[in-house]
């Protein structure tokens, strides 16, 4: 994309029959937080327009309040650039933009549906870029992902945001504070947005690193809930990897076109710096995934060891309980012998031969003692006592 490209002549607005009617998406009833769209076309509802401005030579010359007003102001300003920011736009709004700026149908459909992977595609003199932004939420300790679609043409930049991240107001303030950079045109805005998205990865990396440190402590502390936390963080790292890894190839593709499109030297330096940051972040995310896999394996080993220790403790407790039962049973058998003899002699029958025998009582006592001692030595030899 050449520096300060000549202003192109836009074709007359045309209807795009390839887009579904708005009622097909909304079920015939517009969302409650937006007014009903006007079917006349460019005057569609402006409820999702976050900010729109027209710039010339790096300075803001107009702040339109609607898409139709933006189109009119842009036509009135030669060599100007429009920067339109949208958040979850309606289909009618995207149709209006497509008609005014001749956006490709596939890119518009992607921006409408969202849930796209990061990519960069060129449709004639318009670039279509999809980015996945991320932010770290401290309270729930999780990573929140947003999606950003960017249309970059010779005299316009359109950002379509799905989700809370990223906050592009800071990018706009930064660019307006450096008019010499903003004067380089839509390509400079694209690189500034890329830089903001990539810089937003740094707090996420720091937050994830802190989570991993906490998880390691919990793993060796025996926290039973740590397995779920490891799995959830690993799943977030898969999403993070999908957001960062394609950016490396995208940025190298942009750098490969420096000579072809006459990219300004300052922008080339910006893009190379962004590419370095993306590469570093992608490597860190790869390292996080490997670390989490190792931690999960260590946690599984520790859990298995803990279960084995618990089983061993149960077995030892059962063995000790068995030993106690044997002792109790042995003493019960020993005490049962004299009880049996005494019970027989306590029946008081008239015709018992031992009742008139002089040695009957000593014999009974001796019999009890012999049986008890014999049982004692038998149980002792078997280690029951």
């Amino acid at each position: 994309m050449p520096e300060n490209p000549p202003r192109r002549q836009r074709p007359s607005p045309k209807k795009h029959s390839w887009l579904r009617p708005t009622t097909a998406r909304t079920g015939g009833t517009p969302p409650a937080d937006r007014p009903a769209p006007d079917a006349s076309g460019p005057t569609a509802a402006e409820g999702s327009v976050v900010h729109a401005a027209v710039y010339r030579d790096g300075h803001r010359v107009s702040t339109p309040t609607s898409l139709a007003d933006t189109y009119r102001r842009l036509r009135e300003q030669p060599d100007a650039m429009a920067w339109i920011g949208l958040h979850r736009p309606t289909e009618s709004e995207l149709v209006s933009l497509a008609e005014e700026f001749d956006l490709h149908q596939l890119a518009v459909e992607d921006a409408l549906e969202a849930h796209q992977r990061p990519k960069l595609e060129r449709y004639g003199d318009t670039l279509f870029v999809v980015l996945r932004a991320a932010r770290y939420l401290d309270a729930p300790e999780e990573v929140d992902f947003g999606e950003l679609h960017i249309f970059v043409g010779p005299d316009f930049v359109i950002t379509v945001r799905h989700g809370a991240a990223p906050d592009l107001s800071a990018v706009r303030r930064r660019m307006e504070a450096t008019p010499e950079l903003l004067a380089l045109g839509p390509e400079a805005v694209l690189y500034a947005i890329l830089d903001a998205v990539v810089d937003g990865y740094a707090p996420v990396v720091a937050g994830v690193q802190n989570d991993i440190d906490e998880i390691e402590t919990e793993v060796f502390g025996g926290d039973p809930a740590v397995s779920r936390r490891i799995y959830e963080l690993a799943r977030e790292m898969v999403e993070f990897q999908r957001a960062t890894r394609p950016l490396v190839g995208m940025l190298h593709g942009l750098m490969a076109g420096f000579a072809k499109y006459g990219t300004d030297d300052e922008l080339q330096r910006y893009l190379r710096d962004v590419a370095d940051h993306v590469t570093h972040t992608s490597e860190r995310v790869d390292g996080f995934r490997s670390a989490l896999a190792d931690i999960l394996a260590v946690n599984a080993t520790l859990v298995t060891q803990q279960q084995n220790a618990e089983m061993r403790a149960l077995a030892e407790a059962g063995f000790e309980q068995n030993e106690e039962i044997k002792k109790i049973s042995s003493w019960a058998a020993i005490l049962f012998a004299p009880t049996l003899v005494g019970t027989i002699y306590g029946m008081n029958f008239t015709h018992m031969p031992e009742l008139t025998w002089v040695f009957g009582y000593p014999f009974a006592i001796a019999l009890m003692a012999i049986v008890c001692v014999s049982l004692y030595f038998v149980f002792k030899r078997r280690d029951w006592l």
Side-chain angles (χ1 to χ4, degrees), residues 289-303:
R289 286 200 64 186
S290 299
L292 288 171
D294 294 339
I295 292 173
L296 190 60
V298 170
N299 182 65
T301 302
L302 293 177
V303 169

PDB file of all heavy atoms in Angstrom, residues 289-303:
ATOM      1  N   ARG A 289       2.313 -24.085  27.483  1.00  0.00           N
ATOM      2  CA  ARG A 289       1.616 -25.346  27.211  1.00  0.00           C
ATOM      3  C   ARG A 289       2.473 -26.543  27.623  1.00  0.00           C
ATOM      4  O   ARG A 289       1.973 -27.510  28.210  1.00  0.00           O
ATOM      5  CB  ARG A 289       1.270 -25.447  25.727  1.00  0.00           C
ATOM      6  CG  ARG A 289       0.124 -24.552  25.282  1.00  0.00           C
ATOM      7  CD  ARG A 289      -0.476 -25.033  23.974  1.00  0.00           C
ATOM      8  NE  ARG A 289      -1.073 -26.348  24.111  1.00  0.00           N
ATOM      9  CZ  ARG A 289      -1.565 -27.050  23.097  1.00  0.00           C
ATOM     10  NH1 ARG A 289      -1.515 -26.554  21.874  1.00  0.00           N
ATOM     11  NH2 ARG A 289      -2.116 -28.230  23.282  1.00  0.00           N
ATOM     12  N   SER A 290       3.771 -26.472  27.328  1.00  0.00           N
ATOM     13  CA  SER A 290       4.660 -27.563  27.728  1.00  0.00           C
ATOM     14  C   SER A 290       4.756 -27.668  29.246  1.00  0.00           C
ATOM     15  O   SER A 290       4.723 -28.767  29.812  1.00  0.00           O
ATOM     16  CB  SER A 290       6.052 -27.337  27.121  1.00  0.00           C
ATOM     17  OG  SER A 290       6.005 -27.309  25.710  1.00  0.00           O
ATOM     18  N   ALA A 291       4.858 -26.508  29.910  1.00  0.00           N
ATOM     19  CA  ALA A 291       4.946 -26.509  31.368  1.00  0.00           C
ATOM     20  C   ALA A 291       3.682 -27.084  31.998  1.00  0.00           C
ATOM     21  O   ALA A 291       3.750 -27.872  32.953  1.00  0.00           O
ATOM     22  CB  ALA A 291       5.202 -25.089  31.871  1.00  0.00           C
ATOM     23  N   LEU A 292       2.523 -26.708  31.468  1.00  0.00           N
ATOM     24  CA  LEU A 292       1.266 -27.225  32.014  1.00  0.00           C
ATOM     25  C   LEU A 292       1.141 -28.727  31.784  1.00  0.00           C
ATOM     26  O   LEU A 292       0.613 -29.449  32.640  1.00  0.00           O
ATOM     27  CB  LEU A 292       0.086 -26.484  31.390  1.00  0.00           C
ATOM     28  CG  LEU A 292      -0.108 -25.041  31.859  1.00  0.00           C
ATOM     29  CD1 LEU A 292      -1.160 -24.340  30.999  1.00  0.00           C
ATOM     30  CD2 LEU A 292      -0.510 -24.998  33.320  1.00  0.00           C
ATOM     31  N   ALA A 293       1.614 -29.190  30.631  1.00  0.00           N
ATOM     32  CA  ALA A 293       1.580 -30.641  30.375  1.00  0.00           C
ATOM     33  C   ALA A 293       2.466 -31.377  31.382  1.00  0.00           C
ATOM     34  O   ALA A 293       2.081 -32.428  31.914  1.00  0.00           O
ATOM     35  CB  ALA A 293       2.033 -30.930  28.951  1.00  0.00           C
ATOM     36  N   ASP A 294       3.657 -30.807  31.663  1.00  0.00           N
ATOM     37  CA  ASP A 294       4.555 -31.423  32.645  1.00  0.00           C
ATOM     38  C   ASP A 294       3.945 -31.383  34.044  1.00  0.00           C
ATOM     39  O   ASP A 294       4.026 -32.369  34.801  1.00  0.00           O
ATOM     40  CB  ASP A 294       5.908 -30.702  32.648  1.00  0.00           C
ATOM     41  CG  ASP A 294       6.666 -30.890  31.332  1.00  0.00           C
ATOM     42  OD1 ASP A 294       6.351 -31.857  30.611  1.00  0.00           O
ATOM     43  OD2 ASP A 294       7.553 -30.076  31.035  1.00  0.00           O
ATOM     44  N   ILE A 295       3.334 -30.243  34.391  1.00  0.00           N
ATOM     45  CA  ILE A 295       2.719 -30.126  35.710  1.00  0.00           C
ATOM     46  C   ILE A 295       1.574 -31.117  35.860  1.00  0.00           C
ATOM     47  O   ILE A 295       1.403 -31.743  36.923  1.00  0.00           O
ATOM     48  CB  ILE A 295       2.223 -28.683  35.939  1.00  0.00           C
ATOM     49  CG1 ILE A 295       3.413 -27.720  36.046  1.00  0.00           C
ATOM     50  CG2 ILE A 295       1.367 -28.586  37.196  1.00  0.00           C
ATOM     51  CD1 ILE A 295       3.014 -26.266  36.109  1.00  0.00           C
ATOM     52  N   LEU A 296       0.795 -31.286  34.794  1.00  0.00           N
ATOM     53  CA  LEU A 296      -0.314 -32.237  34.850  1.00  0.00           C
ATOM     54  C   LEU A 296       0.205 -33.660  35.045  1.00  0.00           C
ATOM     55  O   LEU A 296      -0.373 -34.440  35.808  1.00  0.00           O
ATOM     56  CB  LEU A 296      -1.140 -32.141  33.562  1.00  0.00           C
ATOM     57  CG  LEU A 296      -2.470 -32.889  33.552  1.00  0.00           C
ATOM     58  CD1 LEU A 296      -3.382 -32.375  34.659  1.00  0.00           C
ATOM     59  CD2 LEU A 296      -3.144 -32.766  32.199  1.00  0.00           C
ATOM     60  N   ALA A 297       1.320 -33.987  34.378  1.00  0.00           N
ATOM     61  CA  ALA A 297       1.911 -35.320  34.548  1.00  0.00           C
ATOM     62  C   ALA A 297       2.431 -35.506  35.975  1.00  0.00           C
ATOM     63  O   ALA A 297       2.227 -36.566  36.594  1.00  0.00           O
ATOM     64  CB  ALA A 297       3.041 -35.519  33.538  1.00  0.00           C
ATOM     65  N   VAL A 298       3.103 -34.468  36.506  1.00  0.00           N
ATOM     66  CA  VAL A 298       3.605 -34.548  37.880  1.00  0.00           C
ATOM     67  C   VAL A 298       2.443 -34.674  38.859  1.00  0.00           C
ATOM     68  O   VAL A 298       2.493 -35.458  39.815  1.00  0.00           O
ATOM     69  CB  VAL A 298       4.463 -33.309  38.201  1.00  0.00           C
ATOM     70  CG1 VAL A 298       4.792 -33.250  39.688  1.00  0.00           C
ATOM     71  CG2 VAL A 298       5.748 -33.326  37.395  1.00  0.00           C
ATOM     72  N   ASN A 299       1.385 -33.903  38.622  1.00  0.00           N
ATOM     73  CA  ASN A 299       0.224 -33.965  39.514  1.00  0.00           C
ATOM     74  C   ASN A 299      -0.402 -35.358  39.493  1.00  0.00           C
ATOM     75  O   ASN A 299      -0.800 -35.887  40.536  1.00  0.00           O
ATOM     76  CB  ASN A 299      -0.794 -32.917  39.086  1.00  0.00           C
ATOM     77  CG  ASN A 299      -2.004 -32.890  39.990  1.00  0.00           C
ATOM     78  OD1 ASN A 299      -1.917 -32.566  41.169  1.00  0.00           O
ATOM     79  ND2 ASN A 299      -3.160 -33.238  39.446  1.00  0.00           N
ATOM     80  N   ALA A 300      -0.481 -35.961  38.278  1.00  0.00           N
ATOM     81  CA  ALA A 300      -1.030 -37.309  38.187  1.00  0.00           C
ATOM     82  C   ALA A 300      -0.164 -38.302  38.967  1.00  0.00           C
ATOM     83  O   ALA A 300      -0.680 -39.195  39.656  1.00  0.00           O
ATOM     84  CB  ALA A 300      -1.140 -37.734  36.725  1.00  0.00           C
ATOM     85  N   THR A 301       1.163 -38.125  38.866  1.00  0.00           N
ATOM     86  CA  THR A 301       2.069 -39.007  39.617  1.00  0.00           C
ATOM     87  C   THR A 301       1.882 -38.836  41.118  1.00  0.00           C
ATOM     88  O   THR A 301       1.822 -39.818  41.880  1.00  0.00           O
ATOM     89  CB  THR A 301       3.527 -38.707  39.235  1.00  0.00           C
ATOM     90  OG1 THR A 301       3.694 -38.893  37.828  1.00  0.00           O
ATOM     91  CG2 THR A 301       4.477 -39.624  39.976  1.00  0.00           C
ATOM     92  N   LEU A 302       1.785 -37.572  41.556  1.00  0.00           N
ATOM     93  CA  LEU A 302       1.607 -37.310  42.991  1.00  0.00           C
ATOM     94  C   LEU A 302       0.271 -37.850  43.486  1.00  0.00           C
ATOM     95  O   LEU A 302       0.185 -38.393  44.595  1.00  0.00           O
ATOM     96  CB  LEU A 302       1.710 -35.810  43.257  1.00  0.00           C
ATOM     97  CG  LEU A 302       3.092 -35.179  43.032  1.00  0.00           C
ATOM     98  CD1 LEU A 302       3.026 -33.676  43.251  1.00  0.00           C
ATOM     99  CD2 LEU A 302       4.126 -35.796  43.967  1.00  0.00           C
ATOM    100  N   VAL A 303      -0.764 -37.705  42.675  1.00  0.00           N
ATOM    101  CA  VAL A 303      -2.076 -38.233  43.063  1.00  0.00           C
ATOM    102  C   VAL A 303      -2.021 -39.752  43.187  1.00  0.00           C
ATOM    103  O   VAL A 303      -2.568 -40.342  44.128  1.00  0.00           O
ATOM    104  CB  VAL A 303      -3.147 -37.794  42.046  1.00  0.00           C
ATOM    105  CG1 VAL A 303      -4.450 -38.546  42.286  1.00  0.00           C
ATOM    106  CG2 VAL A 303      -3.384 -36.299  42.132  1.00  0.00           C
TER     107      VAL A 303
END
